[in-house]
Amino acid sequence: DAGVIQSPRHEVTEMGQEVTLRCKPISGHNSLFWYRQTMMRGLELLIYFNNNVPIDDSGMPEDRFSAKMPNASFSTLKIQPSEPRDSAVYFCAIHGTSTDTQYFGPGTRLTVL
Amino acid sequence: QKEVEQDPGPLSVPEGAIVSLNCTYSNSAFQYFMWYRQYSRKGPELLMYTYSSGNKEDGRFTAQVDKSSKYISLFIRDSQPSDSATYLCAMSVSGGYNKLIFGAGTRLAVHP
């Protein structure tokens, strides 16, 4: 979990509500990744940014999902409107500086009722 | 067929056993191979990282990559109860700046 703060850690909401998940690398990183983890589908990449620009959003399930990275220190993932099938753990990850791989945050556990 | 196949287990072993975890893959372009460990209700934690083929050792952990067979392994020697976690393999064509493809994860339980 080193290097990435995610908020909130837990979110319970009702179907149809807007949900915003936040990711804050402790030091600025130009490459940032949003993943979703479920029992059925495992860990899936939703979208990633290089130099704050979205590079690949092919994993975003629907137009209800959107993500932004306004600067190297902050990113949001928004779901509007939310649905029960969006219930999952959402992870933010950053590109490592010492190894050419990715480091994950603690995740946000989302439950949509 | 998934790009990366990993037996989800669960795998249960006694303390002190040697554990072998494996993944197979179909994309011959993968060059970067990682193993992550994930404790319950935590984020994945990078455990081992290997570029291309060969072996890499770090303490009780050894990662092996056989690109000719499209097969990677993680060995844990002298397993401890604290090793109980889910182990995920991950692969990439061009390193950590780009997308990682994950296996389903193998749940490991080491009992005293």
Side-chain angles (χ1 to χ4, degrees):
Chain A
D1 299 353
V4 181
I5 298 172
Q6 289 189 248
S7 63
R9 294 296 309 276
H10 302 273
E11 177 81 17
V12 180
T13 190
E14 293 188 346
M15 183 174 63
Q17 297 297 306
E18 178 179 299
V19 175
T20 299
L21 311 181
R22 296 173 177 79
C23 175
K24 183 176 171 57
I26 292 177
S27 57
H29 285 264
N30 292 326
S31 295
L32 186 144
F33 306 78
W34 282 100
Y35 289 87
R36 178 172 68 175
Q37 187 174 40
T38 62
M39 289 293 292
M40 289 295 294
R41 300 176 66 88
L43 197 58
E44 302 175 287
L45 178 68
L46 299 176
I47 185 171
Y48 73 97
F49 297 84
N50 278 345
N51 295 318
N52 311 331
V53 175
I55 302 300
D56 184 351
D57 65 354
S58 60
M60 297 284 260
E62 300 170 30
D63 291 345
R64 299 185 296 107
F65 286 70
S66 63
K68 294 181 181 179
M69 189 174 180
N71 56 62
S73 300
F74 187 66
S75 178
T76 58
L77 178 68
K78 185 177 292 187
I79 309 172
Q80 166 64 19
S82 58
E83 296 184 3
R85 58 191 167 127
D86 302 330
S87 298
V89 182
Y90 291 81
F91 290 103
C92 174
I94 57 175
H95 179 252
T97 51
S98 59
T99 59
D100 192 9
T101 183
Q102 295 172 16
Y103 294 88
F104 283 74
T108 295
R109 184 172 296 271
L110 173 65
T111 302
V112 183
L113 302 174
Chain B
Q1 184 187 5
K2 294 182 179 179
E3 273 192 288
V4 178
E5 298 278 0
Q6 184 177 10
D7 187 339
L11 183 62
S12 181
V13 301
E15 183 176 355
I18 296 174
V19 176
S20 172
L21 304 168
N22 311 294
C23 289
T24 59
Y25 62 94
S26 57
N27 188 350
S28 58
F30 285 141
Q31 295 273 27
Y32 297 79
F33 304 91
M34 301 124 206
W35 286 95
Y36 286 82
R37 177 175 61 195
Q38 186 175 23
Y39 291 113
S40 180
R41 296 185 173 265
K42 298 285 189 181
E45 167 195 14
L46 179 67
L47 197 57
M48 297 289 283
Y49 163 77
T50 309
Y51 171 71
S52 194
S53 285
N55 295 356
K56 186 172 184 178
E57 189 173 317
D58 184 1
R60 297 184 295 110
F61 299 90
T62 300
Q64 287 185 353
V65 175
D66 182 349
K67 292 187 68 180
S68 62
S69 301
K70 299 191 182 69
Y71 187 88
I72 70 170
S73 301
L74 177 70
F75 297 95
I76 307 174
R77 291 183 299 280
D78 187 24
S79 57
Q80 303 294 310
S82 59
D83 295 327
S84 299
T86 296
Y87 290 80
L88 300 126
C89 63
M91 309 179 189
S92 172
V93 171
S94 53
Y97 279 110
N98 296 296
K99 68 191 303 181
L100 299 183
I101 308 298
F102 281 84
T106 300
R107 183 179 293 180
L108 171 67
V110 181
H111 51 86

